């Protein structure tokens, strides 16, 4: 299950439990809307409550990232899972977005709204 909200400077996505292909399709619709009206999308993924994901969702994520390689600005990921950390590192191969990992919501939000893209995130 996911929840999605459109904030002023980013799309906030929180995953709860299993991340399925249906959830990812809902994410795609929201992100495409953001891209259509803003040109690029900044994302905040809260994966702290994600328990698992389906293989078809993972395949779709790679496909979507590759086809929208230049449509993302910053992607902040909240996680305490080592596998998600490795996945974020691999995701950088498929997108031109600046991807950073964060231990807490506030530091992720600050990084997303900061116009200085060279600023380092709070250490994890």
């Amino acid at each position: 299950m996911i929840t999605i909200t459109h904030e002023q400077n980013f799309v906030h996505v929180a995953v709860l439990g299993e991340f399925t292909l249906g959830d990812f399709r809902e994410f795609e619709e929201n992100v495409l809307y953001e891209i259509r009206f803003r040109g690029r999308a900044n994302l905040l993924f809260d994966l702290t409550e994600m328990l698992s994901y389906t293989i078809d969702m993972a395949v779709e994520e790679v496909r979507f990232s590759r086809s929208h390689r230049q449509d993302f600005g910053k992607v902040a990921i909240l996680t305490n899972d080592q596998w998600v950390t490795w996945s974020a590192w691999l995701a950088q191969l498929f997108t031109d977005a600046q991807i950073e990992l964060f231990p807490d919501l506030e530091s992720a939000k600050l990084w997303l709204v900061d116009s200085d893209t060279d600023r380092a995130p709070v250490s994890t």
Side-chain angles (χ1 to χ4, degrees), residues 101-104 107 120-124:
L101 302 170
F102 293 89
D104 64 88
S107 58
V122 176
S123 61
T124 55

Side-chain angles (χ1 to χ4, degrees), residues 40-41 69-70 72-75 92 94-99:
R40 290 183 84 165
R69 180 177 199 101
Q70 298 176 346
F72 300 101
K74 293 180 174 182
V75 178
Q92 292 179 356
F94 303 111
T95 182
D96 294 337
Q98 187 177 359
I99 300 172

Side-chain angles (χ1 to χ4, degrees), residues 27-28 45 62 64 66 69 79 82 89 91 99 103 109:
F27 162 77
E28 285 177 327
F45 273 104
V62 170
F64 185 77
R66 289 181 69 197
R69 180 177 199 101
T79 186
Q82 189 63 36
W89 180 79
I99 300 172
K109 285 182 177 182

Side-chain angles (χ1 to χ4, degrees), residues 39-95:
R40 290 183 84 165
N42 291 327
L43 305 173
L44 170 58
F45 273 104
D46 183 346
L47 303 179
T48 57
E49 299 296 322
M50 182 177 78
L51 299 176
S52 63
Y53 56 88
T54 61
I55 297 299
D56 56 351
M57 185 287 305
V59 170
E60 179 64 14
E61 190 273 330
V62 170
R63 187 205 60 78
F64 185 77
S65 295
R66 289 181 69 197
S67 66
H68 294 280
R69 180 177 199 101
Q70 298 176 346
D71 292 333
F72 300 101
K74 293 180 174 182
V75 178
I77 302 172
L78 292 173
T79 186
N80 49 15
D81 184 298
Q82 189 63 36
W83 288 110
V84 173
T85 301
W86 280 103
S87 297
W89 180 79
L90 287 173
Q92 292 179 356
L93 301 173
F94 303 111
T95 182

